[in-house]
Amino acid sequence: MEDQLSLIEQKIYNRERLTRDDGLFLLKSDELLRIGALARFAKQRKSGSKVYFNVNRHINLTNICVSRCKLCAFGCDADASQAYVMEPEKALSIARQALADAPEMTELHIVSALHPDKPFTYYADIIARIHQEFPNLHLKAFTAVEIAHFAKIANRSIREVLMILKDAGLGSLPGGGAEILNDRVRQIICPNKCSAAEWLEVAQTAHQLGIHSNATMLYGHVETQEERIDHLLTLRKLQDKTGGFQAFIPFPFHPENTGLSDIKRATAWEDLKMLAISRLMLDNFDHVKAFWIMLTLPIAQVAMAFGIDDLDGTVVEEKILHAAGAKTAVGISKQAIIDFIRETGNIPVERDTLYREVQVYEGSQA
């Protein structure tokens, strides 16, 4: 009788959707190389040998936050020594400098904490001012958690908030704040953030308005294996409905400096398995991203053999993950990413936020 992994292999080869039981089996399996080979096969069926990246810049507007989640080392109270908040002109000056340093930059990635006092108009004004000055720059801004926060402080619906931001120049939403889409888990790690249902409502509403988004998962803290697989199935179900998710990014939890610092960081073995399983379970997601800042460059490079097809981008300055002890660089050069991908035998493809190809570096020296 065929073993269960062989049956799963046949499902993948025949384009059959994996079940919850299949996902749980894969999580418990120690056949990492076989799982990785399956994920690589599934990835190549979608995008061949292409691995994507973009030239982007992160801006974190403030670290003052009302949520103060156990999982977070970035947010703080207003009277903390490290507290800061950017005014619109500061955000504009960062955008100007970023474009001066990298004229080919296509994306600004703007996220922040849930500030207790800044009104929704503050955020909408920043989007409007950057978009007015740089109309061709894609603004990927504000997680679903932030959108839900804006709706509450502005006493507006999620749809109204998204429409205002879209009119101001918002291009798409990043995928952060999903953590684990299970309210048992959220009550432990982020009880003051939006619920799982609210996160999904923001994503679905954005997609209905023609605003694409990403989706994430934060694993390796208090969640069970069943809750990890259910998270993937929840996203897969919504993607079936809307088709609005562009990429999925699984993040390992970095416990240092958080309220859960006694938890041990997930291993590289677990990281690679989670990336591969994500590719196999999320058959309706075109892109699975290994965010090199979270994983480290070596693991991200190996992940190219485990089903991923995207590394995010140059980033330039990342604060949230580094507050939690990430030891990676805060940015990387475009040439370094190209070399990094080429070394694995894959084809580097510079993309914009919507995965339109800017330049393919096959057989050329950038």
Side-chain angles (χ1 to χ4, degrees), residues 90-317:
K90 175 64 174 175
L92 261 174
S93 70
I94 292 175
R96 291 181 189 124
Q97 187 60 54
L99 276 164
D101 293 340
E104 73 274 35
M105 186 176 73
T106 57
E107 173 191 289
L108 272 186
H109 178 124
I110 304 171
V111 297
S112 57
L114 310 183
H115 196 286
D117 303 317
K118 286 292 184 183
F120 172 51
T121 52
Y122 160 79
Y123 303 95
D125 181 51
I126 286 176
I127 295 297
R129 291 182 63 178
I130 295 175
H131 179 65
Q132 183 176 9
E133 187 165 338
F134 306 108
N136 296 321
L137 191 61
H138 186 100
L139 303 182
K140 183 171 75 177
F142 309 129
T143 65
V145 171
E146 291 169 274
I147 299 297
H149 173 70
F150 298 161
K152 289 183 176 68
I153 62 176
N155 196 26
R156 291 180 178 270
S157 69
I158 286 169
R159 178 172 292 268
E160 288 174 318
V161 164
L162 287 167
M163 289 176 67
I164 290 168
L165 290 170
K166 184 179 180 182
D167 289 344
L170 178 75
S172 64
L173 302 182
E179 321 309 1
I180 295 290
L181 292 170
N182 174 286
D183 286 332
R184 180 199 75 82
V185 175
R186 298 178 84 81
Q187 279 300 310
I188 297 170
I189 65 173
C190 54
N192 299 316
K193 273 186 180 177
C194 68
S195 67
E198 287 174 313
W199 192 99
L200 292 164
E201 181 187 356
V202 172
Q204 179 170 323
T205 305
H207 299 170
Q208 290 169 345
L209 293 172
I211 302 169
H212 287 88
S213 71
N214 290 336
T216 60
M217 175 172 67
L218 185 74
Y219 63 88
H221 41 87
V222 303
E223 85 284 359
T224 64
Q225 291 187 328
E226 288 79 8
E227 287 161 344
R228 286 192 198 183
I229 296 301
D230 287 342
H231 179 97
L232 296 176
L233 295 177
T234 297
L235 293 173
R236 190 172 77 180
K237 181 179 179 181
L238 182 55
Q239 181 75 331
D240 277 343
K241 185 175 183 179
T242 69
F245 287 121
Q246 297 201 111
F248 176 70
I249 311 102
F251 293 147
F253 175 57
H254 281 256
E256 190 175 328
N257 303 323
T258 73
L260 299 167
S261 58
D262 56 320
I263 292 175
K264 187 178 179 181
R265 161 62 164 103
T267 62
W269 180 278
E270 191 170 4
D271 291 339
L272 292 170
K273 188 193 288 189
M274 201 65 246
L275 287 161
I277 292 171
S278 299
R279 169 62 77 183
L280 296 173
M281 295 299 296
L282 297 176
D283 52 55
N284 54 2
F285 277 66
D286 287 337
H287 306 288
V288 177
K289 182 184 297 187
F291 191 25
W292 63 267
I293 276 186
M294 279 294 252
L295 293 167
T296 74
L297 282 166
I299 295 175
Q301 191 174 42
V302 175
M304 287 183 244
F306 285 78
I308 72 98
D309 72 330
D310 190 277
L311 295 171
D312 196 72
T314 51
V315 179
V316 180
E317 183 185 25

Side-chain angles (χ1 to χ4, degrees), residues 53 301 304 311 332-346 348 361 364-366:
F53 72 95
Q301 191 174 42
M304 287 183 244
L311 295 171
I332 189 173
S333 73
K334 175 177 165 179
Q335 186 60 55
I337 288 185
I338 292 169
D339 294 341
F340 186 70
I341 296 169
R342 274 195 176 139
E343 192 175 11
T344 67
N346 287 292
Y361 291 93
S364 65
Q365 294 299 316

